[in-house]
Amino acid sequence: RFSSFLTCFKPYEFTFVLSTVIIGYFLWKYSGEQDKSNSPQIMTSPVIYNNILYFEAAGECYLICDHSVYLYALDANTGAMKWHRFFGKDQSTISPRSNTPLASGGLIYYAYKNTLYGITATNGNSKWEFTDDFGTQIFPPNIYGSVIYFGYRNPYAGVAGLAAVNASTGKLIWRSQARATQPPAIERGVIYTIDGNTIYAVDQTGKILWNRHFLDGAGSNDSGISVKNGVIFVSIPGNK
């Protein structure tokens, strides 16, 4: 953590370090060795909620990746660890897809594989867990009112869609044929999602209002979407 409200990290290193910013002086740093968790790599930007940093970290990659996936909570003022939780371990030659947590209403919402967790922010325990039997992967969620919206996909079965669950209980509300590989953007009750080069607009019942293709052949699972004052903004990695 740095002064002037600057909190930064080097992606894929489990240390908050001074060299990542131009100005500001060093206040604290945190390394994985401090809790003997095999020094995992930070996979997501930290989310700040009630003066606590939450982020995902995974094991290091050499010839084979040690995909021991954790969620961490650190005190934003001191860097002291509040808690960390192990979610699973995989081994492959590629890095796991990262999922930035979402914080709201005393809970941390975090997706790992095909399960969405509603986690108590203060202690890391699950309040509820929603396991999606339709998909092998749940994508990062967003919240609007008392509902969590997220995309899911099972490429082996050709299944993909958008789902809505109750934010307090994790109970499924509906599924939609709209697709989402990034957190949905929501404005005035309309949910906007992106999948590759297709944008969907969905109402709060799961009905698709419209969908549009753009930039033929462009787009990826990392394409992002946001909305402000009725204007949709899309980011496409590798395109100008």
Side-chain angles (χ1 to χ4, degrees):
R1 183 175 185 266
F2 302 85
S3 64
S4 302
F5 305 102
L6 296 176
T7 304
C8 300
F9 68 95
K10 284 185 176 180
Y12 308 115
E13 289 188 13
F14 198 18
T15 306
F16 291 83
V17 292
L18 181 61
S19 61
T20 56
V21 294
I22 299 175
I23 61 174
Y25 57 89
F26 180 74
L27 295 179
W28 58 259
K29 71 175 182 177
Y30 184 87
S31 299
E33 292 88 345
Q34 294 174 227
D35 53 54
K36 299 180 180 179
S37 56
N38 298 321
S39 188
Q41 306 164 356
I42 291 175
M43 301 299 293
T44 64
S45 298
V47 172
I48 303 177
Y49 180 70
N50 287 342
N51 216 32
I52 297 177
L53 302 175
Y54 300 91
F55 57 89
E56 180 190 72
E60 295 181 351
C61 283
Y62 294 104
L63 294 178
I64 296 179
C65 293
D66 171 20
H67 291 168
S68 299
V69 179
Y70 299 85
L71 191 65
Y72 278 79
L74 305 184
D75 186 290
N77 290 321
T78 67
M81 186 177 70
K82 294 291 187 179
W83 54 262
H84 78 292
R85 177 174 170 181
F86 173 73
F87 280 88
K89 183 174 182 178
D90 304 303
Q91 286 191 339
S92 70
T93 57
I94 60 174
S95 296
R97 183 181 179 88
S98 60
N99 284 316
T100 301
L102 170 70
S104 180
L107 295 180
I108 306 299
Y109 301 99
Y110 172 69
Y112 175 69
K113 292 188 175 180
N114 68 329
T115 300
L116 179 67
Y117 296 85
I119 299 168
T120 303
T122 54
N123 58 28
N125 295 329
S126 290
K127 180 179 180 182
W128 55 259
E129 298 179 9
F130 173 81
T131 299
D132 190 355
D133 295 329
F134 282 77
T136 57
Q137 181 180 11
I138 289 178
F139 295 100
N142 202 353
I143 187 170
Y144 184 78
S146 60
V147 181
I148 300 289
Y149 302 94
F150 58 89
Y152 61 90
R153 172 173 292 173
N154 183 339
Y156 306 105
V159 174
L162 176 72
V165 301
N166 183 285
S168 298
T169 66
K171 183 178 179 180
L172 180 67
I173 300 172
W174 50 254
R175 294 181 187 272
S176 171
Q177 292 184 343
R179 299 186 175 194
T181 54
Q182 293 293 325
I186 308 168
E187 185 176 68
R188 298 178 184 177
V190 179
I191 304 110
Y192 301 95
T193 69
I194 187 168
D195 177 47
N197 66 340
T198 302
I199 297 173
Y200 297 87
V202 182
D203 70 15
Q204 293 185 61
T205 69
K207 177 183 177 182
I208 298 177
L209 302 175
W210 53 262
N211 65 82
R212 297 287 186 274
H213 299 283
F214 62 95
L215 296 177
D216 290 344
S220 74
N221 286 348
D222 295 320
S223 297
I225 188 168
S226 61
V227 60
K228 182 68 173 180
N229 296 329
V231 179
I232 298 171
F233 301 88
V234 174
S235 63
I236 305 171
N239 283 269
K240 298 182 179 180

